[in-house]
Amino acid sequence: MRSAYLLFLFGLPGFAHADNAALTTGGSPSMLPFHKSVVMVSELVNVFIRDVRVETECTFVFKNVGEACVVTMGFPDFGMWAEDYARTKPKSLFLRFKSFVDEKPVQTLLMLDKDGHQMWQTKQVPFAKGQTRVVKESYASQMGGIGYQVPLAAASYIIHTGSSWHGPIGKATINVIFTKPSEVQTPLSLMQIASFDALNGKAMDLASKPNGVVFAGPGKPKVKGTRLTFVKTNWRPTKADDLYLLFRFSPTAIAVEKKKAKGKT
């Protein structure tokens, strides 16, 4: 049974944010099977694991290989387990969210899909014929987690939404950086699983260790210190490529949250 402070700490669902997607226009948004002319040339994603927060910086380079067009571009504002909850009104799950096109800040409109399970931070991005544009997203979210022998933190990044563009992604680089506040130790001990549905006792035991990281994702990463780097080229991602991570919650963060929870009782 979870203690009161664990319930407080894990009060929000774990967020699995994702690549920008090309959306339908008009009415409730949904992801296109593929855009007719706009290609994702590259993406660079830096996921910073902190204490009870995940901060992510994404840089996408897009090129229009067809005629001039206006793209409805959507960044997911839903995530890991969050799609289990239907909503009637859009309310962001981000702690903060900022969007930029060619280094200029742009306003986004939060929209629900027709079933209320997915929310999208949407914007209209015009492309001239042959134009290349750089889109950046910067956001922070609360870490998800599950109770076990010790509290385990869950973080993730959905990649398959990048398949909604024209053709394959030219190059994708995804860095996961465990910063000092996370207290994840080196040398990292990694275990790859097929998906979070494949979690078992052995994986959970490893994730409980100070240097243990269990992950599902797009192949084996290059490891340097507390950084994991995944690189894929000429790639059309599927749901099997989505990145999920499980590791030990920072003991210091738990102590702080426990104190906060007691203060609210």
Side-chain angles (χ1 to χ4, degrees):
M1 183 177 179
R2 294 182 182 179
S3 65
Y5 80 88
L6 285 180
L7 287 172
F8 175 78
L9 185 61
F10 303 149
L12 291 175
F15 301 130
H17 301 306
D19 282 359
N20 264 316
L23 302 181
T24 56
T25 56
S28 301
S30 61
M31 197 174 81
L32 291 172
F34 56 87
H35 193 271
K36 63 181 181 180
S37 65
V38 175
V39 176
M40 185 187 288
V41 177
S42 67
E43 63 173 313
L44 172 62
V45 179
N46 292 319
V47 181
F48 299 94
I49 307 294
R50 303 205 185 279
D51 42 17
V52 295
R53 291 163 61 100
V54 180
E55 297 181 358
T56 306
E57 305 290 333
C58 309
T59 301
F60 304 97
V61 178
F62 294 99
K63 182 178 177 63
N64 181 24
V65 297
E67 298 300 319
C69 62
V70 177
V71 179
T72 301
M73 195 173 291
F75 194 83
D77 198 330
F78 55 85
M80 189 177 178
W81 305 312
E83 289 182 88
D84 294 338
Y85 305 95
R87 296 167 177 82
T88 56
K89 293 182 180 180
K91 183 178 180 181
S92 179
L93 300 178
F94 290 116
L95 300 175
R96 66 167 175 82
F97 180 83
K98 295 181 180 180
S99 186
F100 305 83
V101 177
D102 296 335
E103 301 296 337
K104 296 180 180 179
V106 297
Q107 291 291 325
T108 58
L109 175 64
L110 184 60
M111 298 183 67
L112 277 172
D113 72 352
K114 64 179 181 180
D115 297 319
H117 290 282
Q118 295 183 351
M119 294 186 294
W120 300 88
Q121 295 280 355
T122 64
K123 55 184 172 285
Q124 301 292 308
V125 182
F127 284 83
K129 182 178 180 179
Q131 185 179 16
T132 296
R133 309 208 70 171
V134 178
V135 176
K136 295 183 178 181
E137 318 291 1
S138 173
Y139 63 89
S141 56
Q142 184 171 330
M143 199 104 65
I146 57 178
Y148 191 55
Q149 297 171 356
V150 298
L152 300 179
S156 45
Y157 189 85
I158 294 175
I159 304 169
H160 77 266
T161 46
S163 66
S164 60
W165 299 100
H166 183 79
I169 298 172
K171 183 178 181 179
T173 304
I174 301 168
N175 296 306
V176 178
I177 303 105
F178 292 93
T179 67
K180 188 175 181 180
S182 73
E183 299 186 33
V184 172
Q185 299 176 13
T186 57
L188 296 182
S189 180
L190 303 181
M191 177 186 293
Q192 185 172 9
I193 56 177
S195 69
F196 256 31
D197 293 335
L199 274 176
N200 53 37
K202 185 178 180 181
M204 302 276 275
D205 287 342
L206 177 65
S208 299
K209 296 179 179 180
N211 65 335
V213 178
V214 174
F215 73 95
K220 294 183 179 180
K222 180 179 179 180
V223 181
K224 184 177 181 180
T226 57
R227 177 191 294 255
L228 309 180
T229 299
F230 300 83
V231 178
K232 303 286 285 190
T233 57
N234 196 32
W235 179 48
R236 184 178 287 278
T238 69
K239 288 186 177 181
D241 296 307
D242 291 344
L243 178 62
Y244 297 92
L245 302 137
L246 191 70
F247 48 93
R248 184 172 179 166
F249 241 117
S250 161
T252 301
I254 291 171
V256 171
E257 294 300 328
K258 183 178 180 180
K259 185 176 180 180
K260 288 180 182 179
K262 285 183 177 180
K264 292 186 177 183
T265 58

